[in-house]
Amino acid sequence: MAGQLNVLVICGSLRKGSYNAALTRALPALAPPDMKLITAPPFGAFPLYNADVQEASGFPGPVNDLAAAVRDADGVLFVTPEYNWSMPGALKNAIDWVSRMKDQPFKEKPVAIQSASQGPLGGARMQYHWRMSMTFLNAFIFGTPEVFVGSAATKFDKDTLELKDQPTKDVIKTQLASFAKFIHRVNA
Ligand SMILES: Cc1cc2nc3c(=O)[nH]c(=O)nc-3n(C[C@H](O)[C@H](O)[C@H](O)COP(=O)(O)O)c2cc1C
């Protein structure tokens, strides 16, 4: 674990012009040198979780792909919007599918979260729902600093969606550096 840290990035928004996807694109420049950020396999086409489907046909291929990516990673970073004060349904559905696997991939996995929203709180309420789910899954949950990108339309370039806000960049840099230390500690 002394070398490079492979951190899987799961973006909770499926839309093309997503601020959260834009946030993920800003991360490599803000990550410590030993952290490599890897884009997670897509989960937008997962069927809605149904135990009958799981029993009849097992786990769909794309669910296995996401689970394998989580297992392979040294840590997982979620970057996601808040929908109705909670996690977006597609993201929750992805977590629900992966959580039913025998060798549950989030168990003892270092995880962290960032959220961007167009509301002023930046997705804060959703993060606490996410923390509840991750606690149940026995993930090792990174604490602070928290990253809430509120009023996202003011923080990204309107045309290029490049992250422009320096205080946001600063807190992300600090969070990623602390998350790297956390992962090293957990996996020592
Ligand atoms: C179904 C739905 C629910 C939403 N609920 C919230 C909310 O609870 N809090 C909030 O700050 N923004 C909420 N929003 C607005 C999102 O912050 C905004 O759409 C944001 O751009 C979504 O992230 P994205 O740009 O990465 O897709 C909601 C949007 C949708 C589509």
Side-chain angles (χ1 to χ4, degrees):
M1 181 55 52
Q4 177 180 273
L5 294 177
N6 292 314
V7 171
L8 188 75
V9 179
I10 299 180
C11 178
S13 176
L14 305 179
R15 76 183 186 98
K16 246 190 252 153
S18 160
Y19 290 114
N20 285 278
L23 191 54
T24 68
R25 294 194 289 273
L27 298 179
L30 303 170
D34 62 343
M35 183 182 281
K36 183 178 170 206
L37 298 160
I38 298 157
T39 302
F43 57 83
F46 285 13
L48 288 178
Y49 181 78
N50 179 336
D52 293 341
V53 173
Q54 182 197 325
E55 273 163 37
S57 9
F59 290 92
V63 173
N64 283 313
D65 293 344
L66 180 61
V70 171
R71 285 197 185 101
D72 285 351
D74 297 308
V76 180
L77 175 66
F78 289 77
V79 182
T80 176
E82 173 178 271
Y83 280 0
N84 299 310
W85 291 17
S86 191
M87 275 188 264
L91 177 62
K92 180 62 163 54
N93 186 53
I95 292 171
D96 290 344
W97 267 111
V98 165
S99 74
R100 303 313 292 171
M101 305 195 110
K102 265 208 188 86
D103 180 16
Q104 195 267 103
F106 287 108
K107 185 175 179 211
E108 298 179 2
K109 184 67 63 180
V111 293
I113 188 165
Q114 301 175 355
S115 54
S117 88
Q118 297 197 45
L121 300 185
R125 292 160 294 215
M126 173 279 305
Q127 291 204 13
Y128 299 112
H129 285 193
W130 173 88
R131 284 179 188 276
M132 286 169 63
S133 293
M134 286 296 132
T135 299
F136 176 64
L137 296 178
N138 290 309
F140 289 144
I141 306 166
F142 177 78
T144 63
E146 296 166 297
V147 173
F148 307 120
V149 185
S151 306
T154 67
K155 311 267 168 72
F156 294 85
D157 183 274
K158 158 166 93 40
D159 300 315
T160 63
L161 285 181
E162 191 187 331
L163 179 63
K164 289 292 185 193
D165 188 65
Q166 193 56 48
T168 301
K169 289 184 186 179
D170 292 344
V171 71
I172 289 173
K173 216 171 172 180
T174 306
Q175 189 207 44
L176 293 179
S178 305
F179 188 42
K181 276 191 200 156
F182 179 82
I183 296 172
H184 281 301
R185 270 272 176 86
V186 164
N187 293 326

